[in-house]
């Protein structure tokens, strides 16, 4: 058996099963890092949009004027802006009927905003389950590769009359690489999942708070005329 214990050599000489496990883990790691960078950008953009919208919303601008601006063809609403548009659009539609009670107008607008809120949160949450899966399963997949590699090493060791540590060390080393790769894939995925989940929960809380505050304004407007 080759006594060269460099990582590249160990990977090349590993059994097919161990190499396949390494391939799965490296693929999962690459995919998770791709999702991490894209999700980080997506959440950052959603937070910035929320900050800018709230500044404009509470600046004293009229609701009708703000709706007209954001519903124009030149404007592409995102995040909280879609929630506002859904609520005010439904509120205006109900008021145009003329014979709808103010309470019904507000409740209809609130339902529309809740629906848009659910859609937005689903969109922001779509890649988080993958990170959770990589974080929870990668160590076990790597452990499977390690167990398989060690099992093969001891099987080969039983066929050698004068067995020494030098005979079994390469096989055990190549098997342990699978565990190392599993941890390499799992740790960033777990950290990213926890961080993104926390930021998403905070953003969802801001969306919920805006809906409640917006409903109060709509109630005032519904009873003003």
């Amino acid at each position: 058996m080759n006594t060269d214990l460099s990582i590249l050599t160990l990977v090349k000489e590993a059994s097919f099963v161990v190499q396949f496990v390494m391939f799965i883990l490296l693929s999962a790691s690459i995919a998770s890092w791709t999702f991490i960078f894209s999700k980080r950008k997506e959440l950052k953009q959603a937070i910035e949009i929320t900050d800018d919208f709230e500044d404009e919303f509470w600046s004293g601008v009229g609701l009708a004027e703000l709706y007209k601006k954001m519903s124009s063809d030149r404007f592409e609403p995102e995040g909280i802006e879609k929630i506002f548009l859904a609520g005010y659009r439904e509120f205006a539609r109900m008021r145009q009927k003329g014979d709808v009670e103010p309470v019904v107008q507000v409740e209809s607008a609130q339902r529309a905003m809740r629906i848009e809120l659910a859609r937005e949160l689903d969109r922001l949450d779509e890649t988080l389950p993958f990170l959770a899966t990589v974080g929870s399963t990668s160590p076990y997949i790597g452990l499977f590769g390690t167990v398989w590699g060690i099992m093969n090493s001891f099987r080969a060791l039983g066929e050698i009359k004068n067995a020494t540590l030098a005979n079994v060390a390469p096989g055990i080393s190549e098997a342990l690489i699978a565990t190392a790769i599993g941890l390499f894939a799992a740790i960033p995925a777990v950290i990213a999942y926890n961080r993104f989940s926390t930021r998403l929960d905070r953003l969802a809380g801001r969306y919920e708070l805006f809906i409640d505050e917006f409903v109060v304004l709509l109630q005032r407007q519904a009873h003003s005329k």
Side-chain angles (χ1 to χ4, degrees):
M1 182 177 288
N2 196 330
T3 58
D4 183 1
L5 298 182
S6 65
I7 294 179
L8 183 59
T9 300
L10 292 174
V11 171
K12 291 170 62 176
E13 295 188 354
S15 65
F16 172 77
V17 174
V18 176
Q19 288 181 339
F20 184 67
V21 167
M22 292 178 183
F23 173 76
I24 292 176
L25 293 173
L26 286 174
S27 299
S29 179
I30 293 172
S32 65
W33 276 109
T34 302
F35 287 143
I36 286 171
F37 286 120
S38 63
K39 183 59 63 178
R40 179 178 179 274
K41 179 180 179 181
E42 187 178 26
L43 286 175
K44 181 180 179 181
Q45 183 180 19
I47 293 173
E48 289 176 349
I49 290 174
T50 302
D51 291 337
D52 294 340
F53 174 81
E54 288 183 338
D55 289 341
E56 186 174 11
F57 184 82
W58 296 111
S59 65
V61 64
L63 296 179
E65 180 182 349
L66 185 59
Y67 173 78
K68 182 179 180 181
K69 171 188 173 182
M70 293 189 173
S71 60
S72 65
D73 295 336
R74 295 175 297 177
F75 192 87
E76 295 184 4
E78 296 289 342
I80 195 172
E81 298 166 342
K82 289 183 177 180
I83 297 174
F84 165 77
L85 289 175
Y88 195 83
R89 183 185 301 114
E90 182 63 17
F91 178 75
R93 187 182 70 85
M94 297 298 289
R95 284 181 68 86
Q96 287 178 355
K97 292 185 177 181
D99 57 346
V100 181
E101 292 293 329
V103 174
V104 178
Q105 297 175 15
V106 175
E107 289 179 350
S108 181
Q110 188 175 24
R111 283 194 298 270
M113 287 189 287
R114 292 289 178 185
I115 293 172
E116 192 60 46
L117 171 65
R119 291 173 179 169
E120 180 63 16
L121 294 182
D122 284 343
R123 183 183 68 84
L124 293 174
D125 185 62
E126 62 182 357
T127 58
L128 292 186
F130 176 80
L131 294 178
T133 300
V134 171
S136 61
T137 62
S138 292
Y140 296 104
I141 296 175
L143 183 60
F144 169 76
T146 297
V147 171
W148 186 274
I150 291 177
M151 181 180 67
N152 286 339
S153 296
F154 279 108
R155 182 184 300 168
L157 188 63
E159 300 174 357
I160 301 176
K161 293 182 178 180
N162 297 320
T164 64
L165 182 61
N167 298 123
V168 72
I172 295 178
S173 297
E174 70 188 29
L176 290 175
I177 293 178
T179 297
I181 297 177
L183 294 175
F184 177 78
I187 292 174
V190 171
I191 294 174
Y193 174 79
N194 291 333
R195 180 175 177 82
F196 292 154
S197 294
T198 300
R199 297 182 71 180
L200 183 57
D201 288 343
R202 291 176 180 174
L203 186 60
R206 293 181 66 179
Y207 288 166
E208 294 273 1
L209 181 60
F210 166 74
I211 290 176
D212 293 339
E213 293 172 334
F214 190 28
V215 165
V216 173
L217 296 180
L218 292 179
Q219 287 174 338
R220 294 174 184 173
Q221 187 167 333
H223 290 85
S224 64
K225 295 181 181 180

